Amino acid sequence: MVHRLSREQARRIALRGQLLTAERPAGIVETIDALTVVNIEPTAAIAPSADLILWSRLGWPYQPADLSRLFEEDRAVFEWGGFYRAMTDLALLIPEMRRRPESAQAREWLAANEVFRREVLARLRAEGPLRAADIPDAAQVSWRSSGWTNNRNSMQLLEMLVLCGDVAVSSRDAGGRLFDVADRVYPRDVPQLTDEDAGRERAERRLASLGIARVKGIAQPFEPIDVGEIGEAAIVDGVDGVWRVDADALAAADRFAGRTALLSPFDRLVFDRRRLEELFGYEYLLEMYKPAAKRRWGYFALPILHGDRFVGKLDAKSDRKAGLLRVHAVHEDEPFTEQVRESVDAEIQDLARWLGLEMVGPGA
């Protein structure tokens, strides 16, 4: 059976999966568990991405210090592949860790630097947690690339060992990441799953978090945006191709109460730009890498969600020294109604209060 969905139903299924309905989740771990991944992109034009993602779901109860405690002390959350994940998902990642590194270049480089690898693991065991800068570069063969990783051997080795599961990120602070041997960060009694079982469960959890997804999508380095044949087949009115939909979300598709939310540019709801345009009819591009003169919406514009539609972009910047949230513009995709404008202004005010800043600019 192939389900037929309106775009409105598809959007609401996606929003329910991403915890962006009027019913907010209960806590940080529950939120990360339901989302499966939370992006750690540290750019903090307004706030770091992980904090924006969690605040947009939890609201006022969320504080970054609580996430740090869960990550660094309680070990209820771990970091892998640029995302925070619930520690209960570690078993699902271990089969992939065993396959890392995937490229022949990286495997050959690790093999050529076996002595360096053993020395780093011994140093972490004796002295960790340590930063990459604390580890002398004793590589037998330097890492070569055309990018910023060229000849950054200590950092490159640590990155690979994290992906392999031999090393883990122990904590983060203003100076960056601290690394330690994995068995001091990860639990030791982790269930052992086959590649097939872990892959299937990851896809099931991914579909539950997305609500609706494609069978195939553009390849991503650490967390796919597609789900294979998991879930049930569906077509969406006005959109080409077949989708996969989560059965539980499908059953609740017509029970929806929305709200207004300001999203990180790295939010999973907006990360897949093709899906975003197909289901929401929303055009969005992160412009932080563009020259200022060529930006349409701003350096770190936040997508504005209202109900089950995206209605605009917020161009703002946190000025911590001055204690201000500077709102440069609220871009309206279509002219806001009075009710939409009031809801959006209220959400921006809530953002400023959560940040502990005074809002200045439009709507202040």
PDB file of all heavy atoms in Angstrom, residues 7-39:
ATOM      1  N   ARG A   7       0.635  18.044   1.009  1.00  0.00           N
ATOM      2  CA  ARG A   7       1.864  18.678   1.499  1.00  0.00           C
ATOM      3  C   ARG A   7       1.696  19.104   2.954  1.00  0.00           C
ATOM      4  O   ARG A   7       2.648  19.033   3.739  1.00  0.00           O
ATOM      5  CB  ARG A   7       2.227  19.893   0.640  1.00  0.00           C
ATOM      6  CG  ARG A   7       2.802  19.533  -0.706  1.00  0.00           C
ATOM      7  CD  ARG A   7       3.519  20.708  -1.308  1.00  0.00           C
ATOM      8  NE  ARG A   7       3.905  20.449  -2.674  1.00  0.00           N
ATOM      9  CZ  ARG A   7       4.639  21.258  -3.407  1.00  0.00           C
ATOM     10  NH1 ARG A   7       5.067  22.402  -2.893  1.00  0.00           N
ATOM     11  NH2 ARG A   7       4.958  20.962  -4.653  1.00  0.00           N
ATOM     12  N   GLU A   8       0.516  19.542   3.299  1.00  0.00           N
ATOM     13  CA  GLU A   8       0.272  19.944   4.683  1.00  0.00           C
ATOM     14  C   GLU A   8       0.486  18.758   5.621  1.00  0.00           C
ATOM     15  O   GLU A   8       1.142  18.884   6.660  1.00  0.00           O
ATOM     16  CB  GLU A   8      -1.145  20.486   4.836  1.00  0.00           C
ATOM     17  CG  GLU A   8      -1.483  20.921   6.256  1.00  0.00           C
ATOM     18  CD  GLU A   8      -2.921  21.384   6.374  1.00  0.00           C
ATOM     19  OE1 GLU A   8      -3.837  20.553   6.172  1.00  0.00           O
ATOM     20  OE2 GLU A   8      -3.144  22.573   6.685  1.00  0.00           O
ATOM     21  N   GLN A   9      -0.059  17.596   5.270  1.00  0.00           N
ATOM     22  CA  GLN A   9       0.141  16.413   6.109  1.00  0.00           C
ATOM     23  C   GLN A   9       1.625  16.043   6.193  1.00  0.00           C
ATOM     24  O   GLN A   9       2.128  15.715   7.270  1.00  0.00           O
ATOM     25  CB  GLN A   9      -0.659  15.232   5.538  1.00  0.00           C
ATOM     26  CG  GLN A   9      -2.156  15.331   5.750  1.00  0.00           C
ATOM     27  CD  GLN A   9      -2.889  14.201   5.050  1.00  0.00           C
ATOM     28  OE1 GLN A   9      -2.640  13.916   3.865  1.00  0.00           O
ATOM     29  NE2 GLN A   9      -3.792  13.540   5.766  1.00  0.00           N
ATOM     30  N   ALA A  10       2.319  16.103   5.058  1.00  0.00           N
ATOM     31  CA  ALA A  10       3.747  15.757   5.045  1.00  0.00           C
ATOM     32  C   ALA A  10       4.537  16.712   5.937  1.00  0.00           C
ATOM     33  O   ALA A  10       5.421  16.286   6.693  1.00  0.00           O
ATOM     34  CB  ALA A  10       4.273  15.796   3.616  1.00  0.00           C
ATOM     35  N   ARG A  11       4.223  18.002   5.851  1.00  0.00           N
ATOM     36  CA  ARG A  11       4.920  18.976   6.699  1.00  0.00           C
ATOM     37  C   ARG A  11       4.681  18.687   8.171  1.00  0.00           C
ATOM     38  O   ARG A  11       5.604  18.749   8.995  1.00  0.00           O
ATOM     39  CB  ARG A  11       4.446  20.396   6.375  1.00  0.00           C
ATOM     40  CG  ARG A  11       4.883  20.919   5.024  1.00  0.00           C
ATOM     41  CD  ARG A  11       4.685  22.418   4.937  1.00  0.00           C
ATOM     42  NE  ARG A  11       3.304  22.839   5.098  1.00  0.00           N
ATOM     43  CZ  ARG A  11       2.428  22.970   4.114  1.00  0.00           C
ATOM     44  NH1 ARG A  11       2.791  22.692   2.871  1.00  0.00           N
ATOM     45  NH2 ARG A  11       1.196  23.388   4.345  1.00  0.00           N
ATOM     46  N   ARG A  12       3.464  18.386   8.513  1.00  0.00           N
ATOM     47  CA  ARG A  12       3.125  18.159   9.914  1.00  0.00           C
ATOM     48  C   ARG A  12       3.764  16.881  10.442  1.00  0.00           C
ATOM     49  O   ARG A  12       4.164  16.821  11.615  1.00  0.00           O
ATOM     50  CB  ARG A  12       1.604  18.151  10.075  1.00  0.00           C
ATOM     51  CG  ARG A  12       1.016  19.536   9.808  1.00  0.00           C
ATOM     52  CD  ARG A  12      -0.483  19.596   9.954  1.00  0.00           C
ATOM     53  NE  ARG A  12      -0.939  20.984   9.888  1.00  0.00           N
ATOM     54  CZ  ARG A  12      -2.155  21.395  10.168  1.00  0.00           C
ATOM     55  NH1 ARG A  12      -3.082  20.512  10.555  1.00  0.00           N
ATOM     56  NH2 ARG A  12      -2.464  22.674  10.079  1.00  0.00           N
ATOM     57  N   ILE A  13       3.885  15.876   9.603  1.00  0.00           N
ATOM     58  CA  ILE A  13       4.602  14.654   9.991  1.00  0.00           C
ATOM     59  C   ILE A  13       6.069  14.986  10.255  1.00  0.00           C
ATOM     60  O   ILE A  13       6.663  14.524  11.240  1.00  0.00           O
ATOM     61  CB  ILE A  13       4.458  13.585   8.897  1.00  0.00           C
ATOM     62  CG1 ILE A  13       3.025  13.012   8.903  1.00  0.00           C
ATOM     63  CG2 ILE A  13       5.481  12.474   9.068  1.00  0.00           C
ATOM     64  CD1 ILE A  13       2.713  12.129   7.718  1.00  0.00           C
ATOM     65  N   ALA A  14       6.661  15.799   9.387  1.00  0.00           N
ATOM     66  CA  ALA A  14       8.060  16.190   9.563  1.00  0.00           C
ATOM     67  C   ALA A  14       8.253  16.996  10.842  1.00  0.00           C
ATOM     68  O   ALA A  14       9.225  16.786  11.588  1.00  0.00           O
ATOM     69  CB  ALA A  14       8.527  17.004   8.353  1.00  0.00           C
ATOM     70  N   LEU A  15       7.339  17.898  11.119  1.00  0.00           N
ATOM     71  CA  LEU A  15       7.459  18.741  12.307  1.00  0.00           C
ATOM     72  C   LEU A  15       7.253  17.947  13.588  1.00  0.00           C
ATOM     73  O   LEU A  15       7.935  18.185  14.593  1.00  0.00           O
ATOM     74  CB  LEU A  15       6.445  19.894  12.227  1.00  0.00           C
ATOM     75  CG  LEU A  15       6.756  20.935  11.157  1.00  0.00           C
ATOM     76  CD1 LEU A  15       5.553  21.848  10.930  1.00  0.00           C
ATOM     77  CD2 LEU A  15       7.982  21.749  11.529  1.00  0.00           C
ATOM     78  N   ARG A  16       6.344  16.990  13.553  1.00  0.00           N
ATOM     79  CA  ARG A  16       6.143  16.157  14.738  1.00  0.00           C
ATOM     80  C   ARG A  16       7.400  15.343  15.020  1.00  0.00           C
ATOM     81  O   ARG A  16       7.831  15.217  16.172  1.00  0.00           O
ATOM     82  CB  ARG A  16       4.933  15.242  14.533  1.00  0.00           C
ATOM     83  CG  ARG A  16       4.586  14.408  15.760  1.00  0.00           C
ATOM     84  CD  ARG A  16       3.383  13.524  15.489  1.00  0.00           C
ATOM     85  NE  ARG A  16       2.177  14.315  15.254  1.00  0.00           N
ATOM     86  CZ  ARG A  16       1.424  14.817  16.233  1.00  0.00           C
ATOM     87  NH1 ARG A  16       1.751  14.601  17.496  1.00  0.00           N
ATOM     88  NH2 ARG A  16       0.350  15.516  15.950  1.00  0.00           N
ATOM     89  N   GLY A  17       8.009  14.778  13.978  1.00  0.00           N
ATOM     90  CA  GLY A  17       9.230  14.013  14.174  1.00  0.00           C
ATOM     91  C   GLY A  17      10.353  14.851  14.757  1.00  0.00           C
ATOM     92  O   GLY A  17      11.164  14.358  15.543  1.00  0.00           O
ATOM     93  N   GLN A  18      10.392  16.119  14.401  1.00  0.00           N
ATOM     94  CA  GLN A  18      11.445  17.023  14.863  1.00  0.00           C
ATOM     95  C   GLN A  18      11.070  17.801  16.131  1.00  0.00           C
ATOM     96  O   GLN A  18      11.752  18.752  16.503  1.00  0.00           O
ATOM     97  CB  GLN A  18      11.812  18.000  13.745  1.00  0.00           C
ATOM     98  CG  GLN A  18      12.693  17.372  12.677  1.00  0.00           C
ATOM     99  CD  GLN A  18      14.087  17.108  13.196  1.00  0.00           C
ATOM    100  OE1 GLN A  18      14.844  18.022  13.493  1.00  0.00           O
ATOM    101  NE2 GLN A  18      14.445  15.823  13.303  1.00  0.00           N
ATOM    102  N   LEU A  19       9.993  17.393  16.795  1.00  0.00           N
ATOM    103  CA  LEU A  19       9.601  17.980  18.083  1.00  0.00           C
ATOM    104  C   LEU A  19       9.334  19.480  17.978  1.00  0.00           C
ATOM    105  O   LEU A  19       9.653  20.248  18.879  1.00  0.00           O
ATOM    106  CB  LEU A  19      10.672  17.719  19.146  1.00  0.00           C
ATOM    107  CG  LEU A  19      11.126  16.270  19.343  1.00  0.00           C
ATOM    108  CD1 LEU A  19      12.159  16.184  20.464  1.00  0.00           C
ATOM    109  CD2 LEU A  19       9.942  15.357  19.634  1.00  0.00           C
ATOM    110  N   LEU A  20       8.705  19.892  16.863  1.00  0.00           N
ATOM    111  CA  LEU A  20       8.426  21.312  16.658  1.00  0.00           C
ATOM    112  C   LEU A  20       6.930  21.579  16.600  1.00  0.00           C
ATOM    113  O   LEU A  20       6.447  22.403  15.825  1.00  0.00           O
ATOM    114  CB  LEU A  20       9.125  21.799  15.377  1.00  0.00           C
ATOM    115  CG  LEU A  20      10.642  21.977  15.549  1.00  0.00           C
ATOM    116  CD1 LEU A  20      11.328  22.111  14.203  1.00  0.00           C
ATOM    117  CD2 LEU A  20      10.950  23.177  16.440  1.00  0.00           C
ATOM    118  N   THR A  21       6.203  20.882  17.471  1.00  0.00           N
ATOM    119  CA  THR A  21       4.782  21.149  17.648  1.00  0.00           C
ATOM    120  C   THR A  21       4.606  21.917  18.957  1.00  0.00           C
ATOM    121  O   THR A  21       5.573  22.221  19.657  1.00  0.00           O
ATOM    122  CB  THR A  21       3.990  19.835  17.701  1.00  0.00           C
ATOM    123  OG1 THR A  21       4.347  19.113  18.886  1.00  0.00           O
ATOM    124  CG2 THR A  21       4.267  18.972  16.481  1.00  0.00           C
ATOM    125  N   ALA A  22       3.363  22.213  19.282  1.00  0.00           N
ATOM    126  CA  ALA A  22       3.091  22.952  20.517  1.00  0.00           C
ATOM    127  C   ALA A  22       3.449  22.150  21.762  1.00  0.00           C
ATOM    128  O   ALA A  22       3.696  22.719  22.829  1.00  0.00           O
ATOM    129  CB  ALA A  22       1.616  23.344  20.559  1.00  0.00           C
ATOM    130  N   GLU A  23       3.474  20.834  21.643  1.00  0.00           N
ATOM    131  CA  GLU A  23       3.831  19.970  22.774  1.00  0.00           C
ATOM    132  C   GLU A  23       5.345  19.830  22.843  1.00  0.00           C
ATOM    133  O   GLU A  23       5.964  19.167  22.006  1.00  0.00           O
ATOM    134  CB  GLU A  23       3.186  18.596  22.613  1.00  0.00           C
ATOM    135  CG  GLU A  23       3.444  17.664  23.780  1.00  0.00           C
ATOM    136  CD  GLU A  23       2.790  16.305  23.601  1.00  0.00           C
ATOM    137  OE1 GLU A  23       2.065  16.129  22.606  1.00  0.00           O
ATOM    138  OE2 GLU A  23       3.018  15.428  24.454  1.00  0.00           O
ATOM    139  N   ARG A  24       5.965  20.450  23.822  1.00  0.00           N
ATOM    140  CA  ARG A  24       7.424  20.439  23.925  1.00  0.00           C
ATOM    141  C   ARG A  24       7.911  19.179  24.638  1.00  0.00           C
ATOM    142  O   ARG A  24       7.209  18.621  25.473  1.00  0.00           O
ATOM    143  CB  ARG A  24       7.917  21.678  24.673  1.00  0.00           C
ATOM    144  CG  ARG A  24       7.692  22.987  23.914  1.00  0.00           C
ATOM    145  CD  ARG A  24       8.279  24.152  24.677  1.00  0.00           C
ATOM    146  NE  ARG A  24       8.029  25.424  24.045  1.00  0.00           N
ATOM    147  CZ  ARG A  24       8.863  26.037  23.204  1.00  0.00           C
ATOM    148  NH1 ARG A  24      10.009  25.438  22.900  1.00  0.00           N
ATOM    149  NH2 ARG A  24       8.566  27.208  22.688  1.00  0.00           N
ATOM    150  N   PRO A  25       9.136  18.739  24.312  1.00  0.00           N
ATOM    151  CA  PRO A  25       9.693  17.568  24.994  1.00  0.00           C
ATOM    152  C   PRO A  25      10.041  17.877  26.441  1.00  0.00           C
ATOM    153  O   PRO A  25      10.074  19.044  26.858  1.00  0.00           O
ATOM    154  CB  PRO A  25      10.948  17.261  24.175  1.00  0.00           C
ATOM    155  CG  PRO A  25      11.315  18.560  23.545  1.00  0.00           C
ATOM    156  CD  PRO A  25      10.029  19.273  23.283  1.00  0.00           C
ATOM    157  N   ALA A  26      10.352  16.828  27.204  1.00  0.00           N
ATOM    158  CA  ALA A  26      10.526  16.976  28.650  1.00  0.00           C
ATOM    159  C   ALA A  26      11.921  17.383  29.062  1.00  0.00           C
ATOM    160  O   ALA A  26      12.103  18.055  30.076  1.00  0.00           O
ATOM    161  CB  ALA A  26      10.151  15.664  29.350  1.00  0.00           C
ATOM    162  N   GLY A  27      12.958  16.938  28.341  1.00  0.00           N
ATOM    163  CA  GLY A  27      14.312  17.213  28.800  1.00  0.00           C
ATOM    164  C   GLY A  27      15.327  17.076  27.689  1.00  0.00           C
ATOM    165  O   GLY A  27      15.000  16.697  26.554  1.00  0.00           O
ATOM    166  N   ILE A  28      16.591  17.361  28.003  1.00  0.00           N
ATOM    167  CA  ILE A  28      17.650  17.392  26.999  1.00  0.00           C
ATOM    168  C   ILE A  28      17.910  16.011  26.419  1.00  0.00           C
ATOM    169  O   ILE A  28      17.960  15.837  25.194  1.00  0.00           O
ATOM    170  CB  ILE A  28      18.935  17.972  27.611  1.00  0.00           C
ATOM    171  CG1 ILE A  28      18.720  19.434  28.013  1.00  0.00           C
ATOM    172  CG2 ILE A  28      20.095  17.871  26.616  1.00  0.00           C
ATOM    173  CD1 ILE A  28      19.872  20.036  28.797  1.00  0.00           C
ATOM    174  N   VAL A  29      18.110  15.015  27.269  1.00  0.00           N
ATOM    175  CA  VAL A  29      18.428  13.674  26.768  1.00  0.00           C
ATOM    176  C   VAL A  29      17.269  13.141  25.939  1.00  0.00           C
ATOM    177  O   VAL A  29      17.476  12.545  24.869  1.00  0.00           O
ATOM    178  CB  VAL A  29      18.767  12.718  27.924  1.00  0.00           C
ATOM    179  CG1 VAL A  29      18.995  11.308  27.391  1.00  0.00           C
ATOM    180  CG2 VAL A  29      20.007  13.203  28.669  1.00  0.00           C
ATOM    181  N   GLU A  30      16.040  13.356  26.408  1.00  0.00           N
ATOM    182  CA  GLU A  30      14.870  12.903  25.649  1.00  0.00           C
ATOM    183  C   GLU A  30      14.820  13.575  24.275  1.00  0.00           C
ATOM    184  O   GLU A  30      14.460  12.951  23.271  1.00  0.00           O
ATOM    185  CB  GLU A  30      13.588  13.211  26.412  1.00  0.00           C
ATOM    186  CG  GLU A  30      13.420  12.420  27.703  1.00  0.00           C
ATOM    187  CD  GLU A  30      14.072  13.085  28.902  1.00  0.00           C
ATOM    188  OE1 GLU A  30      14.900  14.020  28.728  1.00  0.00           O
ATOM    189  OE2 GLU A  30      13.766  12.659  30.029  1.00  0.00           O
ATOM    190  N   THR A  31      15.194  14.848  24.227  1.00  0.00           N
ATOM    191  CA  THR A  31      15.188  15.582  22.965  1.00  0.00           C
ATOM    192  C   THR A  31      16.245  15.045  22.019  1.00  0.00           C
ATOM    193  O   THR A  31      15.972  14.775  20.837  1.00  0.00           O
ATOM    194  CB  THR A  31      15.417  17.079  23.220  1.00  0.00           C
ATOM    195  OG1 THR A  31      14.395  17.572  24.082  1.00  0.00           O
ATOM    196  CG2 THR A  31      15.390  17.860  21.919  1.00  0.00           C
ATOM    197  N   ILE A  32      17.465  14.881  22.496  1.00  0.00           N
ATOM    198  CA  ILE A  32      18.536  14.362  21.644  1.00  0.00           C
ATOM    199  C   ILE A  32      18.210  12.950  21.179  1.00  0.00           C
ATOM    200  O   ILE A  32      18.435  12.588  20.020  1.00  0.00           O
ATOM    201  CB  ILE A  32      19.880  14.406  22.388  1.00  0.00           C
ATOM    202  CG1 ILE A  32      20.272  15.863  22.687  1.00  0.00           C
ATOM    203  CG2 ILE A  32      20.983  13.721  21.570  1.00  0.00           C
ATOM    204  CD1 ILE A  32      21.520  16.012  23.531  1.00  0.00           C
ATOM    205  N   ASP A  33      17.643  12.150  22.074  1.00  0.00           N
ATOM    206  CA  ASP A  33      17.260  10.783  21.723  1.00  0.00           C
ATOM    207  C   ASP A  33      16.232  10.785  20.603  1.00  0.00           C
ATOM    208  O   ASP A  33      16.333  10.004  19.649  1.00  0.00           O
ATOM    209  CB  ASP A  33      16.716  10.071  22.961  1.00  0.00           C
ATOM    210  CG  ASP A  33      16.313   8.641  22.665  1.00  0.00           C
ATOM    211  OD1 ASP A  33      17.190   7.847  22.282  1.00  0.00           O
ATOM    212  OD2 ASP A  33      15.124   8.317  22.809  1.00  0.00           O
ATOM    213  N   ALA A  34      15.233  11.662  20.689  1.00  0.00           N
ATOM    214  CA  ALA A  34      14.190  11.706  19.667  1.00  0.00           C
ATOM    215  C   ALA A  34      14.704  12.265  18.346  1.00  0.00           C
ATOM    216  O   ALA A  34      14.317  11.800  17.272  1.00  0.00           O
ATOM    217  CB  ALA A  34      13.008  12.541  20.162  1.00  0.00           C
ATOM    218  N   LEU A  35      15.600  13.258  18.415  1.00  0.00           N
ATOM    219  CA  LEU A  35      16.155  13.851  17.196  1.00  0.00           C
ATOM    220  C   LEU A  35      17.240  12.971  16.585  1.00  0.00           C
ATOM    221  O   LEU A  35      17.574  13.138  15.413  1.00  0.00           O
ATOM    222  CB  LEU A  35      16.731  15.235  17.498  1.00  0.00           C
ATOM    223  CG  LEU A  35      15.745  16.306  17.984  1.00  0.00           C
ATOM    224  CD1 LEU A  35      16.482  17.609  18.261  1.00  0.00           C
ATOM    225  CD2 LEU A  35      14.622  16.527  16.976  1.00  0.00           C
ATOM    226  N   THR A  36      17.815  12.086  17.357  1.00  0.00           N
ATOM    227  CA  THR A  36      18.921  11.172  17.048  1.00  0.00           C
ATOM    228  C   THR A  36      20.267  11.894  16.953  1.00  0.00           C
ATOM    229  O   THR A  36      21.274  11.349  17.396  1.00  0.00           O
ATOM    230  CB  THR A  36      18.698  10.320  15.772  1.00  0.00           C
ATOM    231  OG1 THR A  36      18.694  11.144  14.616  1.00  0.00           O
ATOM    232  CG2 THR A  36      17.391   9.537  15.865  1.00  0.00           C
ATOM    233  N   VAL A  37      20.304  13.072  16.369  1.00  0.00           N
ATOM    234  CA  VAL A  37      21.552  13.840  16.300  1.00  0.00           C
ATOM    235  C   VAL A  37      21.256  15.320  16.502  1.00  0.00           C
ATOM    236  O   VAL A  37      20.201  15.817  16.108  1.00  0.00           O
ATOM    237  CB  VAL A  37      22.288  13.652  14.954  1.00  0.00           C
ATOM    238  CG1 VAL A  37      22.827  12.245  14.812  1.00  0.00           C
ATOM    239  CG2 VAL A  37      21.405  14.020  13.777  1.00  0.00           C
ATOM    240  N   VAL A  38      22.217  16.015  17.122  1.00  0.00           N
ATOM    241  CA  VAL A  38      22.160  17.464  17.278  1.00  0.00           C
ATOM    242  C   VAL A  38      23.492  18.022  16.809  1.00  0.00           C
ATOM    243  O   VAL A  38      24.547  17.677  17.353  1.00  0.00           O
ATOM    244  CB  VAL A  38      21.881  17.869  18.741  1.00  0.00           C
ATOM    245  CG1 VAL A  38      22.078  19.371  18.940  1.00  0.00           C
ATOM    246  CG2 VAL A  38      20.465  17.474  19.137  1.00  0.00           C
ATOM    247  N   ASN A  39      23.460  18.878  15.807  1.00  0.00           N
ATOM    248  CA  ASN A  39      24.672  19.403  15.190  1.00  0.00           C
ATOM    249  C   ASN A  39      25.482  20.260  16.155  1.00  0.00           C
ATOM    250  O   ASN A  39      24.925  21.059  16.908  1.00  0.00           O
ATOM    251  CB  ASN A  39      24.277  20.230  13.962  1.00  0.00           C
ATOM    252  CG  ASN A  39      25.464  20.607  13.110  1.00  0.00           C
ATOM    253  OD1 ASN A  39      26.270  21.426  13.506  1.00  0.00           O
ATOM    254  ND2 ASN A  39      25.565  20.008  11.940  1.00  0.00           N
TER     255      ASN A  39
END
